[in-house]
Amino acid sequence: METARRVVWIVLGVLVLLVGLTVASARLVTDWWWFQELGHGGLFVRLLAWPWAVRLGAAALFAALIFGNLLLTRGALARAVFRFQGRVPVFLSWRVMRRVLLFGSALLGLLSAEAVAQNWLLIARFWHKTPFGIADPLFGRDVSFYVFELPFYRLVHGSLAGILFLAALLVLLVYLLARAVEWRGKHVFLDESSRRHLVVLAAVLVVLKALDYRLSLYDLLFSRTNDVIYGATYTDWHARALALRVLSVVALAFAAVLLASWRRMLWRWLAGVGAVWLAAAVLLGQVYPEAVQRFVVEPNELERERPFIEHHLAFTRMAYGLDAIEEQLFVVDNDLTWDRLANYGPILDNARLWDWRPLARSYAQLQSIRFYYTFPDVDVDRYVINGRLRQVMLAVRELDLSQIPNPTWVNQHLQYTHGYGLVMSPVADVTPQGLPRFLLADIPPRPRDVDLVVTRPEIYYGELTNHYVVVGTRTPDFEFSYPSGDDNVRTTYRGTGGVALDSLFRRAAFAARFQTINLLLSDEITSTTRILFRRNIMERLRTLAPFLRFDSDPYAVLADGRIFWIVDAYTTSLGFPYAMPHARWQANYVRNAVKAVVDAYNGTVNFYVFSPEDPLIRAYMGLFPGLFEPAEAMPASLRAHVRYPEDLFQLQAEVLALYHMDNPTVFYNREDVWRLAREVFSTDASGQTREQVMRPYYAIVQLPDRTEPEMVLMLPFTPAERNNMIAWFAARMDGDNYGRLLLYEFPKDVLIYGPMQIEARIDQHPDISQLLTLWAQRGSQVIRGNMLVLPVERSLLYLKPIYLQAETGDLPELVRVIAAFGDQIAMHQTLMGALQAVLPGGTAVTAPPEAGPGPLGLLPGPGASADAQEPPGPAAAANELPLRQLAAEALRLYQQAQARLAQGDWAGYGAALEQLELILRQLAAEP
C-alpha cells in the first residue's frame, strides 16, 4: 500500500514537472516549429544563439573581472570578517565565503551582461562587416569603420569601463571594512597590497578614459555644433581634435604615473600630471575651441566652413541615395494642343481621378458584402489588361473578427478563418452614378478580363489576421468560406501553411502558448489538423528579420491567379559620417535593399535582395545564410508589380528639399530651400478649406525624351516661402529602370503655377467656387481629391477630382473634374470635357456625355442629363451649332437653372449653370 502511494506521488510529481516544463518552454518550442514550417530552422538557431552567446560570454567576462578582483582582497576580507566576527555567522569560512563571492559575481555579471546582449546585432554585424568603398574626408577611414566598427568599440569600451568601475567600488568597500584604507585627518593611509590593487584599477580606468578620448575623435564626424553642418566643423577639426589628442596623451601619462606608484605613491607626480590634465581639459577642451570659433571662424564663417559644408552635402546625399539623381532642366512651353493630346491616350486612360480616401469608403459601402468584411487599405498598381497598361486601385477583403456573429472560440478559431478575394477598379473609370467601375468585384471574384482571374481568393495571411486559426479539422468543410445568398459556402484549408498538431505534446504546447485548454479538449482536432499562427504579415516578417525596417504600406498583388503581399524592407544605420539624421526614421543611412513577398494562402515568405551592393545587406547575407534570394529569383509575374516605396520616396523628398543645393554658399545662406507642395483636401459647410502636404503619388506618364508610358512615383516642390512650383521629383520602377531617380527643375525666372496656386484659382473662379459652396451649404461634404500634376511633352496639366458625400451617407460620388492648363481653368463632369475647355483647339461641349468606359465616360453631377452625347475626341471635328440654335439652347438652360433653383436642387442648378457657361463661350467665339 505504501509502495503504491509512493508511485502515485511520483507520477503526480512527474506530471507536474512536465506541465511546468511545457508551460515554460511553450513559446520557445512552438517558435521552433514555426520557423521549421517556413524552412528557416537555421535562422531560428542563429537568432536564438547570437543573443545568448553574447549574454553568456559577457556575463562570464564580467563575473571573472569582479570575482578576480574580489579574490585579490582575500586577506582584507579575512580581517573584515574577524573585525565583525560577532555579526557574521560562525560557519562563514573562506570556502563558504568564496562560493558566496562567486555566486554574487556571477549574478552581477549576468545582470550587467543584459545590456550587452540587447546589442547582439551590433556585435554580429561587426564580425560580418563589409567595406563601403567610401573614405571619410578627414581620417581617410572607410565608412564601414563608422557603421560596423566604431559602435562595437564604443559598446566594448563602455561595458568594460562600467564593470571595472563597479569592481573598483566593491574592492574599495572591502578595504574600507578591513581598515586597509583609512582617513586620518587630512591624510589617507593604505596598506601596500590594497594600494597596489587600487592603483592598478585606477590606472586601467584612466587608460580606458584615454581610449574614450581617442574614440571621441571619430565622433566629431557626427557632431552638431551649429545649425548648418552635421559633422566636423572648422572648430572641431582644428581645435577640438587637437584637444582630444592632447588629452589622450596626458591621460596615458597619468596612467603611467599611477603604475609607477606600484612601490611608492608618487603624489607630486600625480598632482603635477593631474593639474596638466585638468588644465588641458579646460583650456584646450573648452576655452581654445570657443576662442577659435569666436575669433577665427565667425568673422569668416563661410570661407572657414566651406570644405566642411561640402563634406556634409556630399555625404548626406550619398547616405540617402540622392547622389544618383539625374537632374534635368524642364522648360515649360505649354504648347500642347487638343489635337496632339490624342497621342497620349495611355496617360489620359490612367489619369488617377480616384483618391484612395474616398475610394476606400466606396469600396466599404459597395463591396464589403457582409458587415464582418473590411478593406484595411487601398493600393495603387499597374496591370496589363487586354494588352493595355492600366493603372488600378485594389483592396483585399479581410475578415474583421470583432464583427462576426456569436464570437465563440469555435467561431473565432475554427470557422471564421480567412478573408476572401479582392476588388479592383481603374483609376480613371467612373459609372454614371459617380462610383468606381470595377474590373474585379463581388464574392466569389468576378473579373471583367481573363488577365484578372483569381483561382485562390482566400486570405489566410493579411494585415488584420491577428488570431491563430485551426484548420483541417475532423468535420469536412468546417470553415466558413464566403456568403452565398441566404446560405454560406464552406471549405477546408488545403495549403501548406501551419504547424501540424499531430501529437498530444504539440497540442499541449500550443494550449500553453495561447492559454486555452480548448486545443486539448476539442474533438475537431486530429493528427492532420494544422494551426496557423503569427498570420499578420508584418508580425511574420519582423519575426523572421528583426534587423530590417519594414515599410508602413504592404500592398497586395494578383499574380498567376493567387494573391501575394509585397512589403519593402530597408537597411538603416545612424553611423554614416557627415550625413544629417532624419528624426522620424532615426537613421542617417537608408537603402531599400529587400522586397519581402508573403503568400496570402500558404504564408510562405521570400526575401529578394534588390540592392546587392549595399554593405549592410551583404553583412546580413553573411550573418543569415539561406534567408535571402537574389532579385532575379523573383517570378516575373511578381516582378512586374514591384513599386518604388512611398515611404522611402517621401524621406528622400524631405531630404532633397534642403540638400538639392550643392553650392556651399547657397546652402550656407539657405537661399534656395524647397518644401513639399501643399494642396486642399476637403471643404466644410462654411466653405473653409483644409490644407495638407501633398503625398507622393503614382502616375502613368511619358517622361521627357522617352517614347513609352511608364508608372512613376512623383511629387512637386515649391520654394519654402512661396507657392509657385520649382521642380518635380520622380522615381522610375518599370523593368531595368527600377530605382532611377529624376529631378526636373524649372527655370527660376519663369512662373510655374504650384498646386496651391491652382487651388487659389479654383477658389477665386466665380462659377466653380459658387458651386462648391452651394454643395457644402446643403449639408453635403465636398471632398477635393489629390491634385495631380502631369507632364505631357513640355507642358503641365493640373487635374483635381471633386467628390460629393451626403450628410447622412458614407458613399462619396465623383461629380466633377477640374483641369488647369496655363492660364485656363475649367470644371466639368468629365475629364475630357474639362481638358477640352482648357486646351487650345478644344471645343466646348454643350452637354455632359453619356456614360462610357474610361476617362471619356460620364462623371455626372446631380441633375446631369442622361441622354447627352459623348464629347468629341481630340481628333474629332468641332460640334458647331447655328447661332440661333445656340441662343435657344442657352435660354433653355437658363430656364432649367431657374427651375432647379426654385426646387432647391442646388446641384442641378450648378450643373445647368456649368452647361450654360459652355454655350456662352461658344456664342462668344462665333464670328
Side-chain angles (χ1 to χ4, degrees):
M1 187 69 180
E2 186 66 25
T3 303
R5 185 176 299 171
R6 287 181 180 177
V7 170
V8 170
W9 280 108
I10 290 174
V11 171
L12 288 175
V14 170
L15 288 176
V16 170
L17 180 62
L18 287 175
V19 170
L21 289 175
T22 299
V23 171
S25 62
R27 177 165 289 274
L28 181 66
V29 71
T30 52
D31 278 345
W32 163 247
W33 293 331
W34 184 82
F35 275 86
Q36 278 191 315
E37 173 241 325
L38 289 172
H40 292 301
L43 174 64
F44 174 80
V45 173
R46 288 182 177 85
L47 289 175
L48 185 66
W50 264 104
W52 275 103
V54 170
R55 180 180 287 108
L56 295 178
L61 175 62
F62 295 163
L65 288 173
I66 296 173
F67 185 64
N69 277 280
L70 290 176
L71 280 182
L72 293 176
T73 65
R74 177 176 178 177
L77 273 173
R79 293 196 299 272
V81 171
F82 178 78
R83 181 184 173 197
F84 296 97
Q85 58 182 337
R87 304 180 186 178
V88 297
V90 294
F91 60 83
L92 192 61
S93 64
W94 169 246
R95 179 177 298 178
V96 174
M97 187 182 300
R98 182 174 178 175
R99 292 175 180 174
V100 171
L101 293 177
L102 180 60
F103 175 78
S105 300
L107 181 61
L108 287 175
L110 190 61
L111 293 174
S112 302
E114 189 59 33
V116 181
Q118 298 300 319
N119 291 282
W120 68 268
L121 185 60
L122 184 152
I123 299 171
R125 293 198 316 194
F126 170 79
W127 290 110
H128 290 83
K129 59 181 179 290
T130 55
F132 276 71
I134 304 169
D136 82 80
L138 298 185
F139 299 101
R141 287 185 172 271
D142 189 89
V143 170
S144 61
F145 171 79
Y146 301 95
V147 173
F148 297 113
E149 298 182 46
L150 186 58
F152 172 76
Y153 297 147
R154 273 296 183 194
L155 177 66
V156 172
H157 173 271
S159 301
L160 287 177
I163 206 67
L164 285 174
F165 183 74
L166 175 61
L169 288 179
L170 293 175
V171 167
L172 180 61
L173 177 62
V174 170
Y175 288 140
L176 287 172
L177 292 175
R179 290 189 174 178
V181 177
E182 291 185 293
W183 276 268
R184 299 174 186 173
K186 298 181 180 180
H187 301 282
V188 179
F189 293 89
L190 300 90
D191 64 25
E192 185 174 355
S193 62
S194 61
R195 175 177 57 78
R196 290 178 175 179
H197 191 180
L198 291 173
V199 160
V200 171
L201 281 175
V204 173
L205 287 172
V206 172
V207 168
L208 288 175
K209 182 59 182 176
L211 291 177
D212 177 64
Y213 287 135
R214 182 65 184 177
L215 294 176
S216 296
L217 261 179
Y218 302 112
D219 290 337
L220 290 177
L221 272 65
F222 303 91
S223 69
R224 187 68 188 271
T225 55
N226 63 42
D227 295 332
V228 178
I229 304 173
Y230 178 85
T233 62
Y234 182 94
T235 301
D236 290 329
W237 183 240
H238 291 90
R240 293 189 177 92
L242 173 64
L244 289 171
R245 288 188 175 99
V246 171
L247 288 171
S248 178
V249 172
V250 173
L252 289 176
F254 191 85
V257 174
L258 280 172
L259 291 176
S261 301
W262 173 266
R263 293 176 178 269
R264 182 173 59 88
M265 291 301 297
L266 305 176
W267 293 113
R268 291 183 179 179
W269 279 93
L270 287 173
V273 177
V276 171
W277 191 358
L278 179 61
V282 174
L283 296 177
L284 289 178
Q286 299 293 329
V287 177
Y288 180 56
E290 291 179 3
V292 169
Q293 180 68 27
R294 174 65 184 87
F295 300 108
V296 178
V297 175
E298 289 185 7
N300 305 280
E301 188 169 30
L302 178 57
E303 290 307 312
R304 299 295 186 190
E305 301 289 13
R306 181 180 297 276
F308 302 97
I309 294 175
E310 291 174 351
H311 302 332
H312 175 53
L313 291 174
F315 276 74
T316 298
R317 290 172 67 91
M318 280 191 287
Y320 294 101
L322 303 180
D323 57 319
I325 290 179
E326 302 172 29
E327 300 184 17
Q328 298 183 31
L329 184 66
F330 193 95
V331 179
V332 178
D333 54 27
N334 275 340
D335 65 350
L336 181 67
T337 64
W338 175 248
D339 290 335
R340 290 215 311 277
L341 189 62
N343 299 325
Y344 301 98
I347 297 177
L348 299 180
D349 289 343
N350 295 289
R352 185 167 62 85
L353 301 181
W354 282 106
D355 187 299
W356 70 269
R357 286 157 290 200
L359 185 62
R361 301 179 208 168
S362 297
Y363 278 2
Q365 290 294 315
L366 300 173
Q367 283 294 314
S368 289
I369 310 298
R370 293 290 188 273
F371 56 87
Y372 42 77
Y373 284 129
T374 187
F375 297 99
D377 192 18
V378 178
D379 297 310
V380 184
D381 204 348
R382 73 283 201 198
Y383 288 76
V384 176
I385 302 172
N386 197 21
R388 297 169 58 200
L389 177 65
R390 300 301 304 271
Q391 190 176 24
V392 301
M393 314 287 281
L394 69 157
V396 169
R397 186 184 292 106
E398 293 205 47
L399 186 68
D400 184 358
L401 279 179
S402 66
Q403 300 298 321
I404 64 171
N406 192 20
T408 63
W409 182 82
V410 171
N411 279 346
Q412 288 184 323
H413 300 288
L414 274 67
Q415 292 204 2
Y416 290 89
T417 56
H418 58 276
Y420 199 89
L422 73 164
V423 296
M424 181 186 297
S425 60
V427 296
D429 287 12
V430 187
T431 69
Q433 293 76 32
L435 302 176
R437 187 183 299 277
F438 292 105
L439 289 170
L440 191 62
D442 301 333
I443 297 180
R446 284 192 282 271
R448 288 178 52 189
D449 193 276
V450 293
D451 294 324
L452 301 176
V453 172
V454 185
T455 58
R456 184 56 73 187
E458 297 89 348
I459 311 296
Y460 282 88
Y461 300 86
E463 295 184 78
L464 298 181
T465 46
N466 299 315
H467 297 71
Y468 72 90
V469 295
V470 178
V471 297
T473 52
R474 185 184 305 276
T475 303
D477 295 337
F478 194 63
E479 299 175 57
F480 166 77
S481 187
Y482 60 87
S484 179
D486 295 332
D487 201 1
N488 293 327
V489 176
R490 312 194 77 80
T491 189
T492 297
Y493 180 71
R494 293 178 175 83
T496 60
V499 177
L501 297 176
D502 53 6
S503 68
L504 181 62
F505 176 70
R506 288 197 170 198
R507 294 174 66 173
F510 279 107
R513 179 187 180 109
F514 296 115
Q515 300 179 6
T516 175
I517 199 172
N518 292 329
L519 288 171
L520 284 171
L521 301 180
S522 175
D523 293 333
E524 289 293 335
I525 299 177
T526 68
S527 60
T528 61
T529 299
R530 307 178 72 82
I531 183 169
L532 281 58
F533 68 105
R534 204 174 272 135
R535 297 189 301 137
N536 183 288
I537 56 174
M538 299 308 294
E539 179 190 8
R540 200 170 185 81
L541 294 173
R542 291 187 180 114
T543 303
L544 283 170
F547 43 86
L548 296 177
R549 177 184 179 128
F550 290 95
D551 196 85
S552 62
D553 183 27
Y555 62 98
V557 169
L558 176 63
D560 302 321
R562 305 173 66 88
I563 300 172
F564 297 87
W565 296 96
I566 297 182
V567 186
D568 288 280
Y570 309 99
T571 53
T572 63
S573 173
L574 260 174
F576 205 90
Y578 264 117
M580 175 66 73
H582 192 275
R584 190 174 70 253
W585 282 67
Q586 292 295 297
N588 71 347
Y589 172 86
V590 180
R591 287 294 183 271
N592 177 212
V594 175
K595 306 284 185 182
V597 177
V598 183
D599 189 316
Y601 188 71
N602 290 320
T604 54
V605 180
N606 298 89
F607 294 94
Y608 299 102
V609 175
F610 272 68
S611 296
E613 71 284 355
D614 173 37
L616 278 171
I617 200 61
R618 293 207 306 271
Y620 292 141
M621 291 171 70
L623 183 57
F624 304 108
L627 178 62
F628 300 100
E629 303 174 62
E632 294 75 19
M634 177 182 280
S637 57
L638 287 174
R639 184 67 182 263
H641 297 284
V642 166
R643 304 185 321 188
Y644 197 84
E646 189 177 334
D647 281 2
L648 176 61
F649 189 78
Q650 177 81 20
L651 165 67
Q652 291 175 317
E654 291 173 1
V655 176
L656 185 63
L658 180 61
Y659 289 91
H660 68 277
M661 295 180 283
D662 52 12
N663 184 305
T665 302
V666 175
F667 181 83
Y668 174 82
N669 292 315
R670 296 296 196 267
E671 296 176 11
D672 191 24
V673 179
W674 296 349
R675 68 175 180 180
L676 308 186
R678 301 180 66 82
E679 64 179 351
V680 172
F681 176 64
S682 63
T683 305
D684 60 22
S686 64
Q688 296 297 313
T689 58
R690 178 168 63 87
E691 290 186 22
Q692 65 181 18
V693 176
M694 288 184 68
R695 294 283 300 175
Y697 55 91
Y698 294 98
I700 301 290
V701 301
Q702 186 170 315
L703 294 169
D705 304 324
R706 306 297 193 276
T707 58
E708 296 295 330
E710 59 183 292
M711 190 165 91
V712 302
L713 184 60
M714 57 187 300
L715 187 65
F717 285 106
T718 66
E721 302 299 330
R722 298 189 302 277
N723 287 324
N724 60 290
M725 194 156 59
I726 194 69
W728 59 279
F729 184 35
R732 305 178 71 183
M733 61 197 75
D734 287 349
D736 294 336
N737 292 315
Y738 177 83
R740 293 182 61 183
L741 299 177
L742 307 172
L743 180 65
Y744 294 94
E745 296 189 58
F746 302 114
K748 290 183 171 60
D749 57 350
V750 178
L751 172 64
I752 305 297
Y753 288 121
M756 277 306 296
Q757 291 176 322
I758 299 296
E759 299 281 7
R761 290 176 60 195
I762 291 173
D763 293 332
Q764 293 165 7
H765 193 286
D767 296 332
I768 297 176
S769 61
Q770 181 184 27
L771 184 57
L772 297 181
T773 302
L774 287 175
W775 279 337
Q777 290 175 347
R778 289 288 295 171
S780 298
Q781 182 185 6
V782 177
I783 303 172
R784 294 163 68 156
N786 286 133
M787 172 77 70
L788 300 182
V789 183
L790 298 179
V792 182
E793 295 180 350
R794 289 289 169 173
S795 303
L796 293 176
L797 293 175
Y798 302 81
L799 304 177
K800 190 171 189 69
I802 302 297
Y803 312 89
L804 197 62
Q805 180 175 305
E807 183 179 10
T808 58
D810 197 22
L811 184 61
E813 298 177 8
L814 202 163
V815 294
R816 294 290 188 275
V817 177
I818 299 174
F821 177 78
D823 294 327
Q824 301 298 314
I825 187 168
M827 183 171 72
H828 198 262
Q829 289 95 336
T830 69
L831 170 62
M832 298 307 289
L835 291 174
Q836 205 172 7
V838 298
L839 285 173
T843 303
V845 184
T846 59
E850 187 177 356
L856 291 177
L858 178 65
L859 307 177
S865 172
D867 57 355
Q869 300 298 314
E870 183 176 310
N879 179 19
E880 298 183 1
L881 296 175
L883 185 60
R884 185 182 299 274
Q885 192 172 347
L886 285 173
E889 178 67 12
L891 179 60
R892 185 190 69 79
L893 288 171
Y894 171 75
Q895 293 172 343
Q896 178 181 330
Q898 293 300 314
R900 294 291 171 85
L901 181 61
Q903 297 168 6
D905 183 0
W906 295 102
Y909 172 72
L913 284 182
E914 193 173 86
Q915 296 172 47
L916 177 60
E917 178 190 3
L918 295 174
I919 296 296
L920 294 175
R921 286 179 181 273
Q922 192 165 345
L923 280 169
E926 285 289 329

